Each structure stands twice: as structure tokens, then as C-alpha cells.
Amino acid sequence: MTLKKHIAAHVRDLPKSGIREFFDIVAQEKEVISLGVGEPDFDTPWHIREAAIYSLEHGRTHYTSNLGLPELRSSICRYVHKHFSVAYDPRTEVIITVGVSEAIDLALRAVLNPGDEVLYHEPCYVSYGPSVSMAHGKPVAVPTRAEDNFRLTAEALKAHITERSKVLMLNFPCNPTGATQTRAELEKIAHLCIDHDLIVLTDEIYSELTYDGADHISIASLPGMRERCVFLHGFSKAFAMTGWRIGYACAPAILTDAMMKIHQYAILCANTTSQDAAIEALEHGARGVETMRREYEHRRNYIVRAFNDLGLECLKPVGAFYVFPKITRTGLTSREFSFGLLEKKKVACVPGPAFGPSGEGFVRCCYATSLDQIKIAMQRIGEFITEVKK
Ligand code: PLP
């Protein structure tokens, strides 16, 4: 029996994640220094873990409401209002999800009809294109360029809008480039969204991690945007909670209601222990976030300088925990660079095209690993470049 023919065509045709493919290889290698997977090297702060233990000890082992715990939804609304200047009603405009990943999937499935076009800036997080395809939409990548600091310009966006455009996905600070957006450019993008009646999914997962005193602005806070935005956020990055699988979406009730229909049948509710831990994170986690943020900033300063000293042009991103150096001077493709570096020097970084074709000529290095490890990795990268040139 050939099972292949039973796989749904849109799933069969999906490419596997370029990151996963690479890290399946990394997993087989010993003593590799990984600048690869995008997750904090910090364990979740202890007081958050304690809240989860307390929750379990008190027998909080049952389903929550489909939307999530009311206390968590209230806490989220206070947090989003304070930090992003957007007000949501905790009773009807927030849904707690299994990470931002589920929130992206719900939002897309709630609004897309087959063939609707979804715009997003690229290079981008690996799941965007496939998530659109799985929701039967058509992914439309808008390339961004190093010359523009990988910012999305309203001009480039406009050139890709068609009659079928329905959604714009934004992620600033950006994975993999670390790019952020100026208020002026965001305002131009917001005008385009209003003019073309686009829904905006704004993925704010790295918003706490900004540097050099840069302010983070959410497009949802700009005039006329709240009503057409789905604000997506979670706990994985800033609170170092990747394994807890907890995130949320805030949006006008008509949108959360539609998302809720899918969530209640597919997931039922997010993990109860994680929801209790998330309340503790929002209510008492600010100091821990700031400690980690400062450490990332310190590492960013080091790694950017080190790449530029090696002659590999590297922008200084003001957000997230990635650098995206240009490796074309080595004469290698991104894939040759990453696989060569792994094989010869046991350092893992992700080839840029894993984040879309415009990532060719770049590699992504995640600096959410200790400074000592980063220093050794940079020394090995220096040796690798010297050997390649010979
Ligand atoms: N969005 C972006 C831009 C990411 O980089 C990631 C994870 O790397 C996610 C969403 C997924 O986050 P979560 O762990 O909350 O599902």
C-alpha cells in the first residue's frame, strides 16, 4: 500500500523547515557550539517555575475556560495597555494559545478563504509561508534588503498588493534579521493597510528585547489600526519560557470569536499549569526580563564587532537576539558556509535561505548563548574564513 497518495496535496507539497533539517544534522555531531536554534539559554526564572509548582500542588490540574484563565486575560490586557498602548477587553478580546505558533495558525485560518493572498516581509520566521499555505492562502513574500536595514518599506509593500491581498504579517523586531521599524515607516504601512482594507497580524514576540534605548512601537497602536489588527504575543522569548508553550492573541471580538471556534475544537484550552506560570511572569517578571535583556545587549555588542573585525559585514540590530552577517566575501553560498563551518569547526549557524530566498548570502547567528561560547565560536569562524581563502 502506498500511503503517499493519501497525504493531502497542500501538506505533501510543503517544504520541511530549513532549520529543522539543519539541526537534525547538528544533533548527530558532538561538541558543537550552537548559534542556531532561536531560544534563550536562560532557564525560566525561578519564581515563575515556583508558581507552576504551587499550581500543581494545589490540584489545579483541570481544563480552563476555552479562552483561558480570566485572571491571565486580565493580566495580559493590563500588560498590553501599559507597554503597547492598546486597550483590549479581557472578557471578549483575548485568547490564550499554545505559543504564538498556535495564535498565528488560528488567525490565518479564521480569516482566509482559499486563494486569499497574505503578504509578509522576507527574510522572515520559517513558519509564515507554510502557515499561510496550510490555511489555503497564497503566501506573497516582500523581499527586504540589507541596504534598508531589512526594514519593510511602504513602497515595496505597495508593489506587491493585488486585488486578492487580504492579510499583512509583520514581525518586528524581526527573526532572523533583528530589524525594527521606524514610526514614520510604520505609519506609511498603516495607511496602505487602511487604503487596501488589509487585516494585520502583528507578531510582537521579541518586543521586550530591544537595545540602545530603542522604543518598540506596535502597529496596533497607530490610529485606525486596532480594529484591523491581531496582536500576537507570548512568553517564549522575553521570559525564557519556550517549553511552556504559552502565547496569546488580542483582537476585536469578532476576530477572537472566529479564532475561538477553531481553538475550542482543535486544542480546547492552553495548558493550565503554564497559564498559572504566565500570570506570575506578567505580574512579577519585569526584573528578570531586564536582566536577560541587558545580557543579550552585551553579547550583541560583542558579536557584531567580532563579525565586522573578521571582514564579514554585519548590521547592528536593535532587537531580538539574532545577527545576520553577510558571508558573500568568502565566495561561499550560505549553505556551503553553514555546512562547511559545522563540518570543519563544529559551529552551527543557520543558512539565510532557510528564512526565504532573499536570505541568500547571509547566515543567522543566535546570540542567546553564553558569551564564553560566543567568543570561542567567533575564533573558530575566523579560522574557517582564513582556511577558505587559501
Ligand atoms: N514568531 C516568531 C517571529 C518566532 O521567532 C517564533 C519562534 O522562534 C515564534 C513566533 C514561535 O513562538 P512560540 O514559542 O510562542 O510558539
Side-chain angles (χ1 to χ4, degrees):
M1 178 181 183
T2 70
L3 281 177
K4 205 170 172 186
K5 69 172 194 277
H6 293 283
I7 305 296
H10 72 288
V11 176
R12 194 187 51 222
D13 298 343
L14 272 186
K16 287 215 175 114
S17 157
I19 295 195
R20 282 291 141 219
E21 179 213 16
F22 188 67
F23 282 98
D24 287 346
I25 299 167
V26 172
Q28 290 158 19
E29 301 269 348
K30 288 203 180 73
E31 291 169 27
V32 170
I33 297 181
S34 180
L35 305 178
V37 180
E39 83 166 319
D41 56 320
F42 300 105
D43 294 332
T44 306
W46 180 241
H47 68 103
I48 298 173
R49 287 187 265 163
E50 233 168 12
I53 294 165
Y54 184 89
S55 166
L56 286 170
E57 277 180 349
H58 284 74
R60 290 173 61 81
T61 55
H62 304 271
Y63 292 133
T64 69
S65 110
N66 294 134
L67 283 174
L69 288 170
E71 308 91 290
L72 177 55
R73 286 186 269 137
S74 294
S75 187
I76 286 169
C77 289
R78 283 194 299 276
Y79 184 82
V80 172
H81 191 229
K82 179 172 170 197
H83 295 279
F84 303 88
S85 309
V86 198
Y88 291 101
D89 183 340
R91 289 164 305 173
T92 55
E93 297 186 317
V94 186
I95 175 166
I96 313 297
T97 55
V98 181
V100 173
S101 304
E102 193 217 345
I104 291 170
D105 183 48
L106 292 183
L108 289 169
R109 285 206 274 163
V111 300
L112 293 182
N113 288 312
D116 285 343
E117 294 180 3
V118 179
L119 302 136
Y120 52 88
H121 49 98
E122 189 233 80
C124 67
Y125 179 46
V126 290
S127 90
Y128 285 4
S131 297
V132 172
S133 301
M134 285 190 289
H136 304 285
K138 183 176 167 208
V140 179
V142 182
T144 58
R145 307 176 319 150
E147 298 82 62
D148 300 323
N149 285 339
F150 292 107
R151 288 195 171 117
L152 174 66
T153 64
E155 208 184 350
L157 176 61
K158 191 171 181 184
H160 288 78
I161 294 176
T162 72
E163 289 281 287
R164 291 303 306 261
S165 303
K166 187 164 195 183
V167 174
L168 169 66
M169 296 174 81
L170 295 178
N171 168 228
F172 296 109
C174 173
N175 173 9
T177 61
T180 52
Q181 209 64 4
T182 63
R183 179 180 285 276
E185 200 66 56
L186 265 190
E187 280 171 353
K188 285 193 210 158
I189 291 170
H191 281 137
L192 273 180
C193 294
I194 294 168
D195 287 351
H196 294 272
D197 198 17
L198 300 180
I199 298 281
V200 179
L201 269 51
T202 177
D203 178 346
E204 311 269 347
I205 195 163
Y206 296 101
S207 57
E208 288 85 356
L209 304 178
T210 59
Y211 313 117
D212 304 331
D215 262 348
H216 172 77
I217 303 152
S218 171
I219 194 164
S221 68
L222 299 184
M225 292 308 290
R226 182 195 179 282
E227 67 203 59
R228 59 180 64 252
C229 276
V230 183
F231 178 99
L232 307 165
H233 202 354
F235 297 83
S236 287
K237 311 294 172 165
F239 295 97
M241 291 177 71
T242 46
W244 300 75
R245 310 308 305 125
I246 189 95
Y248 54 92
C250 304
I254 197 141
L255 289 173
T256 48
D257 223 43
M259 291 167 70
M260 179 60 194
K261 285 190 196 163
I262 307 165
H263 176 76
Q264 72 184 3
Y265 295 126
I267 304 290
L268 215 156
C269 69
N271 174 293
T272 304
T273 317
S274 298
Q275 292 192 55
D276 277 334
I279 296 172
E280 172 66 18
L282 288 182
E283 295 299 323
H284 304 112
R287 228 177 36 204
V289 171
E290 177 55 14
T291 306
M292 292 187 270
R293 190 201 66 77
R294 254 191 261 137
E295 179 58 27
Y296 293 136
E297 183 160 6
H298 185 52
R299 297 172 188 176
R300 177 208 61 160
N301 293 345
Y302 177 85
I303 200 168
V304 168
R305 202 174 328 114
F307 269 115
N308 284 306
D309 286 350
L310 290 176
L312 297 186
E313 207 180 305
C314 181
L315 296 169
K316 194 175 192 184
V318 288
F321 41 49
Y322 309 102
V323 284
F324 206 57
K326 190 171 180 180
I327 51 84
T328 45
R329 282 186 63 179
T330 59
L332 302 176
T333 63
S334 301
R335 203 177 157 83
E336 287 165 347
F337 185 96
S338 291
F339 281 85
L341 183 64
L342 179 62
E343 190 196 334
K344 300 221 162 62
K345 298 292 168 188
K346 307 280 181 237
V347 174
C349 59
V350 185
F355 308 96
S358 48
E360 182 51 56
F362 299 85
V363 294
R364 187 192 78 174
C365 298
C366 173
Y367 51 86
T369 189
S370 77
L371 191 57
D372 286 346
Q373 290 286 93
I374 292 171
K375 284 181 178 169
I376 301 170
M378 292 312 300
Q379 191 185 339
R380 293 189 193 174
I381 291 173
E383 290 164 9
F384 177 68
I385 296 170
T386 312
E387 289 166 25
V388 166
K389 276 189 194 147
K390 278 182 189 160

